[in-house]
Amino acid sequence: MSAEATNPEAHPEARPELRRRGRTRLDLRRLGRAALLGPTSRDRLPDAIGHVAEAHRAHHPDADLSILRRAYLLAETSHRGQMRKSGEPYITHPLAVTLILAELGAETTTLTASLLHDTVEDTDVTLDQVRAEFGDEVCFIVDGVTKVEKIDYGAAAEPETFRKMLVATGNDVRVMSIKLADRLHNMRTLGVMRPEKQARIAKVTRDVLIPLAERLGVQALKTELEDLVFAILHPEEYESTRALIAAHAGERDPLPAIADSVRGVLREAGITAEVQVRPRHFVSVHRIARTRGELRGSDFGRILVLVGENADCYAVLGELHTCFTPVVSEFKDFIATPKFNLYQSLHTAVATPEGYVAEVIVRTRQMHRVAEAGVVALGNPYATATPDAAATDPDEERVDPTRPGWLSRLLDWQQSAPDPDTFWTVLRAELAQDREITVFRADGGTLGLPAGASCIDAAYAQHGAAAHGCIGARVNGRLTSLSSPLSDGDTVQLLLAQDASSGPAVEWLDHARTPAARIAISSWLEAHPDRAMAPTSAARAPLSVVGARGGGGNAVADLPDATVRLAGCCTPVPPDAVAGFLVRGGAVTVHRIHCAAVAQMRAVGRTSVAVHWRATADCRVTLRAESFGRPHLLADLTEAIAREGVEVVSATVEPPVEQRVRHSYTLQLPDAAGLPALMRAMRDVPGVYDVSRV
C-alpha cells in the first residue's frame, strides 16, 4: 500500500491539522532525515518542539513551556539511535503525536505525557524517573498508555493492553486521548508495513479505536482515522470515492453561493455569525453516495454557522427556516438533547430556489471546539480539585467529571470478564452500540444504557447480581415483561423477588444487550446447569390441582328439591346480589346480578328462580392471580391461602407467556367476610401483581 493510499490528502476534511488557522504543518519526515546527517542538522530538531509550543500557546497563551522542553530533551535523549520502520528517527513519532494533541487544544500535562508516552515502553527510562521529574499525573498517564509485555501475556497482550488503558482512562480520560493520537500517527505512516499487518491494525482501529474516538467526542481524530481505515480495508471503494470527489472539484460548487446567501440573511437580521463551507471527508461522501445514489454538488459538503451564544443558535435557525424552505425531516436539536459524547449542535437542511438542498449545522464556538476535540477540549478535568480531594488515598478511584456512562458500564463489566478472549469479544460488541439512551429509576436516579436495551439490562445496571431475582418491571407506570425494550426518557421500576434462590431464565440472554447483563446471566447459568438445561420454550398444558367439589355452597333456591350450582363465570359469594335460572336437568344456576350471563339467560327465555343465602357464613369463590414467573411461586401462593384458613377446591396454572403466569383458584372460605383479607395476602406474595375475582 503506497503512502498516498494510506494518507488521503486530496480532501482537506481528512487532515484536521490543515484546517486550523492556516498554520504550516511540521514536516517531521524532513527533520527526521536531517537528524541522520550529524550534529549540525541535529541542532534543527528543537524547531520541532517549537512548532508544538506555538500550537499550544494558540490555545493556552499563559502555558509554562519549560516542562515541555524538559520532556522533549528526555524523550529525544532516550530514543536517540532508535529508528522507525519508515526510516525516520523515533523521536519524530512522539513529536507528531504531541503536535496532534496540541492542535486540538490539549493542556500542558497531556502534552508532557505525550512526549514521554513511549519512553518507559521502548527505552531504559523508568516510571520512577518520570514521576521524580514530572510528577504523579504525568507518570500515571504514561503508565496507562504503556503496553503490557508480550513475554508475560503472549497472544493476550493486545486485549490486556486495551483493558489496562481503559481502566486507566476511567481514572484519567487523558490516557485515551494520547492513545488515539498515537494510533492516528501510526495509521498515517502505515504504508511501510506488510499488507497483512496493515489490515490487522486497521481492523482493530475500526472496531475499537474509532468507536472510542466517537464516544469521547474527538471528531477531528475519528474522521481521519475512518478515512485511513477505509483506504486500507476497502481500497477499491476508496479509490472510486476519491475519483468522485476529484470529479466534483472540477465542477461548479453551489455551496459557496448558498453560504453567501446565509451570510446575507443573518447580516440583515443583525446576527453576528461566521459561515463556513465544510467539505465532507471520504467516508462521509461514501455513505451519502450509498444512501442517495447520484450526488449533486451540495452533497459534498455542509454549511457550518458559528455564533456566540446558545440563544443565537435558535435565532439563526429561525431566520434559515423563514428565508429558505426547510426540510423538516432533517431537523435535529442536539443542544436541548446533547449526544452522549458531549456533542451539541442544531442540524437542519434547507432547499434553495435553484433546487439544491444544503445541510446546515449551527453551533456556538465553544460547541465547535468540543465537537472537534471532545474531551481533549475540556482541558485538565482535575484542575478544580479541592485540596481535600488531592489528599485522598492515591489508590482510590479518582472522580472524573468527564467520565460518561458508557465508560462506567465498561469498567464495571470488564471486572467480570477475566478471560482476555471474552473481554476482547465483548468490548467490540459493546463499542458497536453507537447510540445511548437515558432512563429514569423509580428513586429519581438515572441509568445510561445502549439503545435497544431491555428491562433486563436496566435491572443489572441498577442492582448488579441482585438482578438475578428480578421478576418484572413497571415502565412509565405500566406492568411489562423483562424483555420489553426501553426508550430514551422512560421511567422504569424493577420488581425483585425476596426468594434468594431465584435466578435468571435462559431466555434472558435473548433480550440482554449490555455486556454486564450477559456476563452475569451466563455466569449464573454456568453455576446452575440444571436451570440452564431446563426446557423453557416448549408449550405446556395448564397445571390443575382439584380437590373435593361442592354444589351450591350456601345458596338456596325457592324451588323444592332443585339442585343449586354456583356459576363458575362469576362465582357469587355472600352478600352478593344474585339471580337464579332454571337450566337443563332441573338444576338452578346462581349468578351475580351484574354478570353478563344474566342478560343472556333472560334473552333466551330461561326461567328465573328466586335464590337467597343461608345464614351460614361459609362460601365458595374463584380468584385469579396474575404474577411474574419464578421458582416456588405456586407453593408460596398456596401457603398464603392456607394461612388464611381457606380450603383449595381446585387450582389451575396456565403456561407462562413472556414471564407472566396466571393462576386460577376455586376456594372454600369459612367466612365470606375474610375474602378481602385473603386477596390482600395473595397480593403480598412476591411476584404477584394482581388478584381479582373471576
Side-chain angles (χ1 to χ4, degrees):
M1 184 70 65
S2 67
E4 181 183 8
T6 60
N7 190 16
E9 297 183 8
H11 203 275
E13 187 78 354
R15 300 297 297 275
E17 70 274 16
L18 296 180
R19 298 199 307 267
R20 292 178 171 77
R21 296 176 296 282
R23 185 180 292 113
T24 303
R25 182 173 181 270
L26 178 62
D27 189 352
L28 290 169
R29 187 181 296 271
R30 177 181 58 79
L31 290 177
R33 283 195 293 267
L36 300 177
L37 300 180
T40 303
S41 295
R42 186 176 297 280
D43 293 339
R44 299 181 61 185
L45 272 174
D47 289 344
I49 195 64
H51 281 74
V52 172
E54 178 191 355
H56 187 39
R57 277 281 173 85
H59 292 279
H60 304 277
D62 300 327
D64 179 9
L65 301 181
S66 61
I67 188 174
L68 291 182
R69 298 188 185 280
R70 287 191 289 116
Y72 168 74
L73 290 175
L74 176 59
E76 196 278 331
T77 302
S78 59
H79 287 298
R80 189 173 296 170
Q82 294 180 347
M83 309 297 290
R84 303 195 78 214
K85 284 186 170 59
S86 55
E88 293 91 8
Y90 196 88
I91 187 61
T92 58
H93 171 65
L95 276 172
V97 172
T98 306
L99 184 60
I100 290 170
L101 291 168
E103 289 280 5
L104 290 174
E107 40 71 58
T108 308
T109 301
T110 304
L111 301 186
T112 304
S114 176
L115 284 168
L116 302 170
H117 79 272
D118 276 340
T119 54
V120 174
E121 181 180 325
D122 295 332
T123 75
D124 293 332
V125 175
T126 66
L127 285 172
D128 288 338
Q129 287 178 270
V130 174
R131 181 182 293 105
E133 182 73 18
F134 300 99
D136 289 336
E137 279 195 316
V138 172
C139 179
F140 180 86
I141 297 172
V142 171
D143 183 34
V145 182
T146 301
K147 296 177 183 178
V148 301
E149 293 289 345
K150 278 193 175 182
I151 192 172
D152 296 327
Y153 288 89
E158 186 171 39
E160 290 301 331
T161 293
F162 273 98
R163 189 201 295 265
K164 176 187 174 187
M165 289 181 188
L166 288 167
V167 171
T169 299
N171 283 334
D172 196 324
V173 75
R174 293 172 291 184
V175 171
M176 191 54 65
S177 300
I178 294 175
K179 178 59 182 177
L180 291 172
D182 172 76
R183 179 54 59 96
L184 176 58
H185 183 247
N186 284 334
M187 288 293 296
R188 285 175 178 172
T189 57
L190 205 58
V192 298
M193 299 284 188
R194 300 188 309 275
E196 58 272 18
K197 190 167 185 179
Q198 290 186 34
R200 185 185 67 78
I201 295 174
K203 287 176 182 177
V204 173
T205 304
R206 176 196 63 193
D207 295 342
V208 179
L209 273 303
I210 289 176
L212 285 171
E214 169 73 16
R215 279 158 173 70
L216 295 174
V218 195
Q219 295 296 320
L221 302 188
K222 180 229 176 189
T223 53
E224 186 174 354
L225 283 172
E226 281 186 326
D227 284 348
L228 294 166
V229 168
F230 185 40
I232 293 172
L233 298 183
H234 306 283
E236 294 181 1
E237 292 175 315
Y238 169 78
E239 289 298 336
S240 64
T241 302
R242 188 162 76 165
L244 193 64
I245 294 173
H248 165 69
E251 300 175 355
R252 176 182 172 274
D253 188 349
L255 286 177
I258 298 173
D260 286 339
S261 299
V262 171
R263 289 189 191 97
V265 166
L266 299 182
R267 187 166 49 248
E268 291 180 7
I271 300 174
T272 302
E274 179 184 351
V275 182
Q276 305 175 6
V277 175
R278 297 267 292 184
R280 293 183 184 275
H281 65 104
F282 278 52
V283 172
S284 180
V285 171
H286 176 66
R287 289 172 182 158
I288 291 292
R290 293 184 61 182
T291 302
R292 302 179 184 175
E294 185 176 353
L295 299 183
R296 304 188 65 188
S298 58
D299 292 329
F300 287 87
R302 292 179 288 192
I303 293 175
L304 174 66
V305 180
L306 300 178
V307 294
E309 304 292 338
N310 286 19
D312 296 335
C313 295
Y314 292 98
V316 169
L317 183 71
E319 293 298 324
L320 290 175
H321 285 189
T322 300
C323 300
F324 298 92
T325 302
V327 181
V328 178
S329 61
E330 295 294 324
F331 173 67
K332 297 180 182 67
D333 187 345
F334 295 119
I335 295 178
T337 56
K339 290 186 177 181
F340 66 90
N341 62 356
L342 311 176
Y343 180 87
Q344 288 184 287
S345 291
L346 294 178
H347 287 213
T348 188
V350 295
T352 67
E354 294 80 15
Y356 292 109
V357 174
E359 293 184 33
V360 184
I361 300 173
V362 185
R363 59 174 70 136
T364 66
R365 289 176 177 82
Q366 174 60 20
M367 290 176 191
H368 180 58
R369 184 166 172 245
V370 173
E372 287 288 289
V375 295
V376 179
L378 300 180
N380 182 357
Y382 313 105
T384 58
T386 63
D388 291 341
T392 56
D393 185 349
D395 293 333
E396 291 185 2
E397 183 178 326
R398 301 167 68 181
V399 177
D400 185 352
T402 67
R403 179 195 287 189
W406 64 266
L407 181 54
S408 295
R409 293 197 310 272
L410 189 152
L411 294 173
D412 289 340
W413 68 253
Q414 66 85 24
Q415 297 177 2
S416 303
D419 176 33
D421 291 336
T422 300
F423 167 77
W424 197 230
T425 301
V426 178
L427 174 65
R428 295 185 182 202
E430 166 81 353
L431 294 177
Q433 306 284 344
D434 59 355
R435 196 167 65 84
E436 187 169 276
I437 62 173
T438 299
V439 299
F440 296 92
R441 301 182 342 198
D443 59 7
T446 60
L447 296 172
L449 298 169
S454 66
C455 295
I456 295 172
D457 299 301
Y460 282 95
Q462 181 173 349
H463 297 292
H468 293 329
C470 195
I471 54 178
R474 292 181 185 271
V475 177
N476 302 325
R478 300 183 63 181
L479 284 161
T480 186
S481 64
L482 288 173
S483 61
S484 299
L486 296 168
S487 300
D488 200 29
D490 281 347
T491 298
V492 59
Q493 177 187 3
L494 300 158
L495 309 176
L496 301 182
Q498 303 301 317
D499 186 357
S501 65
S502 297
V506 179
E507 296 96 325
W508 287 19
L509 289 172
D510 297 332
H511 305 289
R513 295 290 177 269
T514 58
R518 296 187 63 83
I519 290 173
I521 295 167
S522 298
S523 299
W524 192 93
L525 293 174
E526 288 175 5
H528 301 78
D530 54 331
R531 181 69 178 271
M533 297 300 293
T536 56
S537 58
R540 293 178 291 178
L543 170 65
S544 297
V545 179
V546 182
R549 293 183 177 273
N554 49 4
V556 179
D558 293 343
L559 188 65
D561 301 325
T563 301
V564 179
R565 298 174 182 167
L566 297 180
C569 55
C570 57
T571 58
V573 299
D576 292 341
V578 291
F581 295 92
L582 191 64
V583 295
R584 293 176 184 174
V588 175
T589 59
V590 181
H591 297 262
R592 280 190 279 171
I593 196 69
H594 298 297
C595 178
V598 171
Q600 296 174 0
M601 289 288 189
R602 289 171 177 164
V604 298
R606 294 290 185 185
T607 302
S608 178
V609 178
V611 293
H612 62 275
W613 299 108
R614 290 193 184 98
T616 55
D618 66 315
C619 67
R620 180 173 296 184
V621 65
T622 299
L623 300 180
R624 177 174 296 149
E626 303 279 355
S627 63
F628 295 106
R630 66 171 178 84
H632 313 301
L633 178 60
L634 179 60
D636 291 346
L637 269 170
T638 53
E639 182 181 353
I641 294 170
R643 282 199 302 266
E644 297 298 316
V646 176
E647 176 189 354
V648 178
V649 177
S650 66
T652 302
V653 182
E654 299 179 12
V657 178
E658 292 188 344
Q659 299 294 322
R660 299 189 195 185
V661 182
R662 174 179 291 179
H663 301 245
S664 296
Y665 296 92
T666 299
L667 307 169
Q668 188 72 31
L669 279 71
D671 189 343
L675 181 58
L678 170 64
M679 296 175 70
R680 284 195 299 271
M682 294 174 67
R683 288 193 188 102
D684 288 341
V685 173
V688 177
Y689 59 83
D690 191 26
V691 176
S692 60
R693 289 176 62 183
V694 174

